[in-house]
Amino acid sequence: MANSVEKALYIVATPIGNLNDITLRALDVLKNVDIIACEDTRTTSILLNKYSINTKLISYHKFSEKQKSEVILNYLFNDKSIALVSDAGTPLICDPGSTLVDSAIKNGFKIIPIPGPSAIITFLSAVNKEGEDFKFIGFLPRVKNQIIETFLKNKNENLIFYQSPNRLLETLEILKDNFPSKKIAVARELTKKFEEIKIDCALNLFNFYTKNPPKGEIVVMLYKGNILEESNNDSMDNEELNQKIKKLKDSGFKDKEISLILSKLYDVSKNAVYDILLEKKKSD
Ligand code: SAM
């Protein structure tokens, strides 16, 4: 067993982009354990080379979790200290490791978490939201109906999910068609050169990402409530209604969407909204 670390399974968080985002404790553990189990030895080598760490690497990825867990458990039985890392961020957060941690606990080995970056926590530190509560569901399901069902089921949550760039537009399209009044935060490439955080309604985000096809890694949050929540009275007079219609029109919503949003949120009929929209068209 190496010197300055005890015999244990260390779960070590590593950067989600910027290689400087590594803790002193993580470096100490990675340097001094006997073995580092990682998803992809090439990816982890880039980090280790930057910090001149020569610890032996073995691979541990989602396709070999069960079999590799047994190998790693054997190392633990043989008094070795092990660090588990993933390609990026915190292991077990949408990354492999559960099987290993489970068997290590069952066999009485000590688990020592070494905290550090994770895309979800980094994201949460950069977007505003009321209250502390949120629900993280990992990646969204792939089938459209299941996506809509997930959004419906969680409409009263601050719902956070990871997203691949080639699915972002499709998701925003579903949102603009089915949840036009949702406020949404999209963060791309956190801690990296092209980091970008946008907070808007689905329509505006859809238009933006249609013009600027998204690349890289993405986290999304659907806010509980909606973009009109700050003035969510049950009823309103005509002047107020006019102002809200104008605000939604200026944001790019279509007439049908505007009447749907306002009728769902306030005590007004779709027809009343249509009438105002019609009047507006005549006077424009
Ligand atoms: N274990 C990682 C963590 O702690 O965040 C997550 C691994 S999961 C396989 C990869 C997903 O996390 C990406 O598809 C993306 O949705 C999100 N992600 C990872 N790095 C990110 C970054 N720098 N910016 C935005 N999202 C990121």
Side-chain angles (χ1 to χ4, degrees), residues 6-26:
E6 58 182 301
K7 185 186 81 165
L9 173 61
Y10 293 83
I11 310 297
V12 183
T14 57
I16 56 167
N18 188 324
L19 290 189
N20 288 328
D21 293 333
I22 181 106
T23 68
L24 295 175
R25 197 165 163 230

Side-chain angles (χ1 to χ4, degrees), residues 150-158 179 182 223-225:
T150 305
F151 290 161
L152 275 174
K153 204 167 79 190
N154 295 292
K155 66 177 192 289
N156 296 322
E157 313 273 1
N158 288 313
F179 305 88
K182 268 281 174 202
Y223 285 77
K224 66 175 159 189

Side-chain angles (χ1 to χ4, degrees), residues 30 41 54-55 69 89 95 108 150 157 166 168 174 179-180 186 240 257:
L30 293 177
T41 52
N54 305 311
T55 309
S69 292
D95 268 339
T150 305
E157 313 273 1
N166 52 353
L168 181 66
I174 292 173
F179 305 88
V186 178
E240 253 187 284
E257 292 167 339

